[in-house]
Amino acid sequence: MKSIESVNDFVIKFANVNGTGSASANNLFAKALFRMGLPVSPKNIFPSNIQGLPTWYEVRVSEKGYLGRRGGVDIALSVNPQSMAADIQEVEPGGYFIYDNTKPLDLRLVRDDVNIIGLPLTRICNEEYKDPRQRQLFKNVIYVGALAALLDMDFKVLTDLVADQFKGKEKLILPNIHALELGHQYARANLDCPIGIRVQAADEVGDQILLDGNTALGLGAIYGGATVAAWYPITPSTSVVDAYEKYVKRMRIDPGTGQRNYAIVQAEDELAAMGMVIGASWNGARAFTATSGPGVSLMSEFLGLAYFAEIPTVLFNVQRTGPSTGMPTRTQQGDILSCAYASHGDTKHVLLFPSTPRECFDMGAMSFDLAERLQTPIILMTDLDLGMNDNMSPPLEWDDSRKYDRGKVMTAEQLEAGVEFGRYLDVDDDGICYRTLPGTHPHRGAFFTRGTSRDEYAVYTEKGEAYERNMLRLMKKWETMKEHVPAPETIPARQETDMAVLYFGTSEQASLEALDRLADEGIHLNAMRVRAFPFNDEVEDFLHAHERVFVIEQNRDAQLRTLLMAEFELGPDKLKSVLCFDGTPISARNIRKQIRLHMPELDEEPQEVARAAGATGE
Amino acid sequence: MSYQLPKFRHPELPKNDLGYTKADYEGAISTLCAGCGHDSISGAIVKACHELSIEPHKIAKLSGIGCSSKTPTYYLGKSHGFNSVHGRMPSVVTGAAMANRELLYLGVSGDGDTASIGMGQFAHVARRNLNMVYIVMNNGCYGLTKGQDSATADEGSMSKKGEPNPFSAIDLCATALQFGATFVARSFSGDKTQLVPLIKAAIAHRGFALIDVVSPCVTFNNNKGSTKSYEFVREHAEATGAVDFVPMRKEITTDYKPGYSHEVTLHDGSSIHLYKLEQDLDPFDRTSALLAMERHRAAGDILTGLIYMDKASRDLHEQLETSRRPLSQLTEEDLCPGNQMLKNINASLR
Ligand SMILES: Cc1ncc(C[n+]2csc(CCOP(=O)(O)OP(=O)(O)O)c2C)c(N)n1
Ligand code: SF4
Ligand SMILES: [Mg+2]
């Protein structure tokens, strides 16, 4: 058997039982590699359950900086007998299967093309600890210690990290370090260390940080000036408001008076959460809610009202696998169409597609400016993969001279001076009208907000012409929006080509890796990362400039492709789909394989593509 | 069209402390059916706000959907208004109130809007004790969709089509009390003498104040056998007593018989005087209030007046400890923690 040999380039997958504290140990492992200067991409693949079901944690390590999923597993570390049979099957030929051999491995599971390494975790724990909870928790830390020996990691990085992570809970530091040592010593004394896969300190992460997108979004809301957060718990969006709350408690409570410059209301459902956001925004505060697909469905009626009544509204949608409850703890980009056209009647909404935590922060803060400038709902579309996993990201930054763009709000002075006010009067010919806030002026500027038809002065009317005029003005506003939303990013191919890929959000990293691999094979594609809807003119130009465009997305129905076809009236021949909807993040191998399959002119598949196609986890 | 505003106004219409006449509190001409109870309630709102000398632009009037929810157009034309979506006015008011604690929030709803589609939001806004006045214009039917029974229609009450309602009625005052409302009253659109001071007291109360106002729908539910008709309500209304609202620093001129009256001082210094008719009701005691409602329900009459009030009410802003300055008035300087803070956060993420 030829074992996999590599330095700083591998995929390891941990198989655990959920509710046993494994995620923090696995995170410790990933973070230690990050501190060794290695780009890492940890992904928690967890069940919708509190305790007892299988859960996985995959870590991609890539000195080259590929942060998407590659596909395939080089090392599986399995401490869960429930999933062992499947876990061993996933290992690449020549890979490594590490398991708790306190109980012997079922002989039927043994593969002769995989290195099998036994680590008697349960036995070590039972000998060392009396308390069952300790046995469970430290088992995870022990295997991290053993991995350090097997992969030739710098042990001190781990112990320093433990010291940092338990700052303030000093009592926990020594026991954790002890557990790391137990594993480390066992491996050194009993196993061949290191194995063929090794790590070495590098200098590839620069000033980057390791952060989940939801925390970045919560911070973005704080920096963007949000004062009202209304929400209803739903995975994977809950941690957005959790993060907002954690940081506002540090940053927004007046130390003298104890007064809070924010209000968080846990609503009775998403419908109410959206109503609160609309009410607060109508009244001049910056407000937001965070939810996932099922919540957006409930907010649908209100989104139509906000669109038609032109109320700034910020909604963070952390997408998960639907429909309905679908796979609530798995990722998807499945709400593109339902959000773009949410609600009844003619409606369209601004969508933002961040790809990194840094972009979650930037676009999160930007959402409030956009909502107030454009007076319409802004739906930021992230997903579970970006939201709940630690992602390597450029550091967060804020320009202290930046002022909020509060949009067109008529002031008491303007009203007093006799400036004409009509709530739906398009004075600047950009489709965006002035609004007034309640309480501004004693006898000027009051108007009645309604979802029913009205004229330019907000006076009720059922006249067809008035309705039509208003709807056409809203289309003009839609055109204006294209200049305000973030522009796409283009990455030219190494060689001139008439083929391209187009992707957005969390497909970015795996797409970039796939493009590199394809280029190595002589297939060159220009790339565009779309960052917002409405699509800017650049998107249209890009599509027209290419013969064939592969649209990469993580849903079954090719929703972004449908949106592009609808908005640009393009035929289906030009746009080809590359899709992933099994609930796991799309992988580079999967993208590469699908693009190749779209090219009948390539008759022979390279060896590796065939192998990748057979591997699971794509 | 139920009332026409006279074209000519007397130059010396009575002015309030702010120098405003009642006309300053009126709105557009009503387009409801002539005789609709809702219009009388609109009139009572105008009168109460005028007499209390509230600056009209410091009021926000919000509603859901229904004939009742259309009424904000017909009063307080100088106030911002929001006709939101069916049953969801409470959440919109909650957000608005979080944004700016300095305005008076006047929510208007119907029995369909509140007791059916909006029951969940009604429960939760009461539970949170949001500082607002919540008026239900209760006609026992869906006026705007042409007269279907609503969830407040009494069991056995006859519809216009002559069919008795088979279901038991939701009593909004009783449910509000159980949900945690801190001010609960019931009235009748035809009894302005009772309704106006109740609206004033509800405005002065800090916390969630419900007034369930029976308001006959002349077009769909004013027939014989309906328990929400003018005739039935006139015959069956039993008042808890009379309420007199005394604004802050106004001299009390009436004499009160000791033992029969309560004086309650509200947080803004104004006071309510209650003249009790219902001897067994202690309106400051939830159990007593619930029992009184149950007694009257069993007897088949309608208990009106102030039913319950929590003198120690703490509203949502107090519970959340939000800043005294309205959140909507805070700026970058107050809200944005700055780049240095981010640098520290970045450092903790490496
Ligand atoms: C989501 C939704 N469902 C249904 C309707 C139709 N609808 C309009 S008003 C109304 C009932 C209003 O009844 P109520 O609140 O009692 O008001 P009233 O007209 O009796 O004053 C209904 C069902 C609607 N506007 N929105
Ligand atoms: S239908 Fe009934 S509730 Fe509606 S306006 Fe007419 S009388 Fe009033
Ligand atoms: Mg009704």
Side-chain angles (χ1 to χ4, degrees):
Chain A
M1 174 183 50
K2 196 176 165 299
S3 297
I4 298 177
E5 302 269 339
S6 73
V7 179
N8 293 350
D9 182 17
F10 63 95
V11 174
I12 179 169
K13 187 168 182 179
F14 298 89
N16 303 90
V17 179
N18 87 314
T20 58
S22 59
S24 46
N26 299 339
N27 184 266
L28 180 76
F29 170 77
K31 183 109 184 224
L33 295 170
F34 176 71
R35 283 208 174 170
M36 288 174 69
L38 289 170
V40 289
S41 169
K43 302 210 182 287
N44 194 1
I45 303 162
F46 59 103
S48 176
N49 184 62
I50 303 300
Q51 210 171 62
L53 284 185
T55 180
W56 295 271
Y57 193 96
E58 195 179 286
V59 183
R60 171 85 192 271
V61 181
S62 162
E63 188 168 349
K64 288 204 188 109
Y66 293 129
L67 295 171
R69 276 185 95 209
R70 182 197 69 188
V73 175
D74 302 317
I75 307 171
L77 192 151
S78 174
V79 290
N80 185 1
Q82 279 173 283
S83 64
M84 222 170 247
D87 296 334
I88 194 168
Q89 282 310 317
E90 269 193 291
V91 180
E92 301 272 297
Y96 304 82
F97 181 72
I98 308 170
Y99 74 108
D100 183 352
N101 69 345
T102 308
K103 270 198 195 142
L105 187 63
D106 183 342
L107 282 179
R108 282 167 303 182
L109 297 183
V110 174
R111 274 174 62 183
D112 55 13
D113 62 344
V114 165
N115 299 287
I116 295 185
I117 302 171
L119 200 58
L121 290 166
T122 307
R123 201 191 74 211
I124 300 175
C125 284
N126 289 355
E127 284 166 5
E128 191 70 21
Y129 306 104
K130 295 276 160 303
D131 172 18
R133 184 66 192 157
Q134 279 192 337
R135 283 178 178 169
Q136 193 181 56
L137 282 177
F138 287 125
K139 189 191 277 185
N140 307 316
V141 184
I142 291 170
Y143 69 63
V144 174
L147 271 180
L150 289 165
L151 301 175
D152 203 16
M153 281 169 74
D154 183 351
F155 194 67
K156 190 166 173 302
V157 174
L158 273 173
T159 52
D160 288 353
L161 188 56
V162 166
D164 282 358
Q165 288 196 338
F166 293 111
K167 207 168 264 160
K169 299 178 202 159
E170 267 70 20
K171 266 202 239 145
L172 297 174
I173 297 176
L174 281 180
N176 273 285
I177 291 179
H178 178 64
L180 283 172
E181 279 167 348
L182 281 175
H184 199 242
Q185 280 157 9
Y186 179 89
R188 299 267 297 250
N190 301 286
L191 304 171
D192 279 341
C193 293
I195 57 172
I197 296 175
R198 284 181 298 117
V199 294
Q200 262 172 21
D203 188 13
E204 295 301 326
V205 303
D207 65 347
Q208 300 208 58
I209 54 173
L210 206 51
L211 173 67
D212 63 277
N214 283 355
T215 300
L217 254 186
L219 282 165
I222 296 175
Y223 276 73
T227 51
V228 178
W231 71 297
Y232 188 79
I234 183 170
T235 306
S237 70
T238 299
S239 50
V240 175
V241 180
D242 285 349
Y244 177 81
E245 181 163 21
K246 172 175 153 187
Y247 288 105
V248 276
K249 279 188 171 157
R250 282 192 211 162
M251 302 170 177
R252 291 257 196 92
I253 303 183
D254 184 301
T257 61
Q259 289 181 26
R260 293 161 188 239
N261 286 339
Y262 64 91
I264 300 173
V265 184
Q266 187 184 320
E268 53 272 34
D269 53 31
E270 287 87 347
L271 233 145
M274 182 44 80
M276 290 175 196
V277 170
I278 288 173
S281 306
W282 173 78
N283 216 3
R286 293 193 149 188
F288 75 99
T289 184
T291 189
S292 193
V296 178
S297 296
L298 290 183
M299 293 170 179
S300 173
E301 185 185 13
F302 258 137
L303 282 169
L305 175 80
Y307 173 82
F308 192 65
E310 298 180 70
I311 298 166
T313 303
V314 174
L315 162 59
F316 299 149
N317 179 8
V318 190
Q319 297 164 93
R320 65 188 211 183
T321 312
S324 188
T325 308
M327 289 201 285
T329 58
R330 303 296 154 90
T331 197
Q332 199 175 45
Q333 297 176 315
D335 303 340
I336 308 303
L337 287 173
S338 65
C339 285
Y341 302 132
S343 211
H344 46 278
D346 287 320
T347 50
K348 316 188 187 210
H349 306 292
V350 176
L351 308 181
L352 302 178
F353 304 115
S355 281
T356 59
R358 169 65 191 265
E359 260 186 356
C360 287
F361 175 79
D362 289 345
M363 289 184 177
M366 178 199 295
S367 302
F368 299 94
D369 281 358
L370 284 177
E372 290 191 324
R373 169 58 47 190
L374 306 174
Q375 300 180 16
T376 199
I378 306 294
I379 311 181
L380 183 144
M381 307 288 286
T382 164
D383 60 23
L384 182 143
D385 179 24
L386 176 55
M388 291 187 72
N389 288 315
D390 272 348
N391 282 260
M392 220 170 85
S393 164
L396 308 183
E397 267 174 296
W398 185 264
D399 172 2
D400 284 329
S401 67
R402 172 168 164 184
K403 292 269 168 241
Y404 297 152
D405 177 4
R406 305 299 314 251
K408 297 187 188 178
V409 180
M410 212 171 263
T411 61
E413 293 71 37
Q414 287 170 308
L415 290 166
E416 185 59 37
V419 177
E420 186 185 18
F421 173 68
R423 173 63 185 96
Y424 300 106
L425 202 59
D426 183 11
V427 285
D428 299 328
D429 202 30
D430 57 2
I432 306 171
C433 312
Y434 276 83
R435 59 183 186 132
T436 52
L437 301 178
T440 302
H441 190 277
H443 48 269
R444 290 187 187 146
F447 70 97
F448 199 59
T449 303
R450 42 163 63 92
T452 44
S453 178
R454 62 301 193 248
D455 66 11
E456 284 74 1
Y457 295 88
V459 176
Y460 181 80
T461 174
E462 293 181 19
K463 285 205 184 93
E465 311 92 79
Y467 178 83
E468 213 173 73
R469 265 199 321 272
N470 184 56
M471 293 306 278
L472 290 173
R473 179 185 54 77
L474 285 172
M475 271 315 287
K476 192 201 284 176
K477 182 163 98 167
W478 185 251
E479 289 303 313
T480 303
M481 291 180 192
K482 294 180 181 173
E483 297 151 25
H484 289 268
V485 298
E489 196 178 77
T490 37
I491 298 142
R494 291 179 211 165
Q495 285 181 18
E496 201 169 306
T497 169
D498 61 1
M499 290 190 301
V501 296
L502 186 146
Y503 51 82
F504 63 100
T506 49
S507 305
E508 179 188 26
Q509 289 295 327
S511 299
L512 291 174
E513 182 176 357
L515 288 178
D516 273 0
R517 306 290 295 281
L518 286 163
D520 291 345
E521 291 159 15
I523 302 169
H524 298 280
L525 300 131
N526 292 320
M528 171 169 272
R529 179 164 73 93
V530 169
R531 300 204 300 157
F533 178 69
F535 301 120
N536 329 57
D537 294 342
E538 285 156 274
V539 178
E540 187 166 17
D541 297 344
F542 184 83
L543 294 177
H544 286 308
H546 293 91
E547 203 56 37
R548 241 186 307 177
V549 180
F550 302 100
V551 182
I552 302 169
E553 49 188 317
Q554 302 179 48
N555 58 63
R556 184 194 67 181
D557 291 343
Q559 297 187 20
L560 189 83
R561 176 173 171 267
T562 303
L563 201 58
L564 289 164
M565 281 165 52
E567 294 289 315
F568 296 133
E569 294 171 18
L570 288 170
D573 296 343
K574 179 172 223 136
L575 303 181
K576 302 285 176 202
S577 285
V578 173
L579 305 171
C580 171
F581 51 94
D582 65 1
T584 61
I586 196 165
S587 72
R589 285 183 182 173
N590 188 356
I591 294 171
R592 173 165 164 263
K593 183 186 79 184
Q594 291 190 46
I595 289 179
R596 288 190 67 102
L597 289 174
H598 275 302
M599 299 181 179
E601 61 271 25
L602 305 173
D603 36 39
E604 279 282 302
E605 281 205 351
Q607 197 60 45
E608 223 186 327
V609 176
R611 192 186 66 157
T616 51
E618 286 185 335
Chain B
M1 210 170 284
S2 59
Y3 69 93
Q4 284 283 349
L5 296 182
K7 293 234 164 52
F8 172 77
R9 286 186 180 282
H10 198 279
E12 274 156 41
L13 279 177
K15 290 186 173 160
N16 64 13
D17 291 355
L18 299 171
Y20 290 125
T21 67
K22 222 173 101 196
D24 292 312
Y25 294 82
E26 283 165 355
I29 291 168
S30 169
T31 59
L32 301 182
C33 308
C36 173
H38 300 352
D39 278 331
S40 313
I41 304 172
S42 297
I45 291 171
V46 169
K47 192 164 157 52
C49 292
H50 175 242
E51 288 176 6
L52 282 181
S53 296
I54 302 171
E55 291 197 86
H57 73 297
K58 296 292 181 191
I59 305 173
K61 43 176 186 171
L62 298 97
S63 61
I65 298 290
C67 295
S68 36
S69 293
K70 283 167 78 162
T71 62
T73 314
Y74 317 137
Y75 50 81
L76 299 170
K78 292 190 166 68
S79 310
H80 273 68
F82 198 152
N83 189 190
S84 67
V85 292
H86 197 20
R88 320 299 176 188
M89 171 271 283
S91 62
V92 180
V93 182
T94 304
M98 288 301 96
N100 186 352
R101 62 190 300 171
E102 286 181 348
L103 303 183
L104 161 65
Y105 294 95
L106 188 62
V108 165
S109 177
D111 44 316
D113 201 60
T114 291
S116 289
I117 193 167
M119 194 63 173
Q121 296 211 346
F122 174 63
H124 288 275
V125 73
R127 178 178 78 92
R128 293 190 190 101
N129 201 24
L130 189 75
N131 187 18
M132 75 173 294
V133 178
Y134 191 117
I135 294 175
V136 181
M137 301 183 170
N138 187 348
N139 53 16
C141 71
Y142 290 8
L144 197 58
T145 51
K146 303 203 166 212
Q148 300 83 358
D149 281 343
S150 82
T152 65
D154 289 308
E155 193 175 337
S157 178
M158 283 293 182
S159 72
K160 201 178 172 187
K161 287 185 193 144
E163 283 161 21
N165 169 36
F167 305 113
S168 80
I170 290 175
D171 180 334
L172 288 173
C173 288
T175 47
L177 199 61
Q178 277 165 336
F179 293 146
T182 50
F183 181 108
V184 175
R186 180 149 35 221
S187 192
F188 171 42
S189 61
D191 185 357
K192 246 188 210 165
T193 333
Q194 183 191 51
L195 182 54
V196 173
L198 278 178
I199 295 175
K200 291 180 184 171
I203 289 173
H205 173 73
R206 188 191 295 178
F208 184 78
L210 169 75
I211 313 179
D212 174 22
V213 190
V214 183
S215 174
C217 169
V218 289
T219 306
F220 297 111
N221 201 14
N222 198 30
N223 47 284
K224 209 169 164 45
S226 161
T227 60
K228 296 271 193 296
S229 68
Y230 278 111
E231 199 185 323
F232 185 91
V233 181
R234 285 219 174 88
E235 272 168 21
H236 292 81
E238 285 278 343
T240 58
V243 175
D244 194 6
F245 181 81
V246 185
M248 184 173 41
R249 289 184 298 274
K250 279 266 158 74
E251 217 181 309
I252 298 166
T253 49
T254 339
D255 285 332
Y256 302 105
K257 268 194 215 138
Y260 285 85
S261 78
H262 286 278
E263 181 183 340
V264 190
T265 306
L266 298 164
H267 74 275
D268 65 354
S270 53
S271 57
I272 298 179
H273 291 271
L274 282 175
Y275 312 79
K276 285 214 313 178
L277 294 175
E278 172 84 19
Q279 287 309 305
D280 294 336
L281 169 67
D282 174 1
F284 308 111
D285 181 82
R286 264 171 75 140
T287 316
S288 168
L290 278 168
L291 281 174
M293 277 188 276
E294 199 49 35
R295 263 198 316 276
H296 284 268
R297 198 181 67 87
D301 55 37
I302 306 162
L303 183 65
T304 64
L306 179 66
I307 296 171
Y308 175 71
M309 187 178 159
D310 177 358
K311 288 184 272 190
S313 160
R314 272 168 54 80
D315 83 336
L316 184 56
H317 276 294
E318 289 169 287
Q319 293 164 41
L320 296 180
E321 299 172 64
T322 29
S323 87
R324 298 247 112 238
R325 248 173 86 203
L327 294 176
S328 61
Q329 289 171 18
L330 303 178
T331 63
E332 291 89 349
E333 287 72 55
D334 310 296
L335 300 174
C336 188
N339 195 41
Q340 186 53 48
M341 184 71 90
L342 277 186
K343 285 188 177 159
N344 300 342
I345 293 173
N346 287 329
S348 73
L349 300 170
R350 292 196 176 106

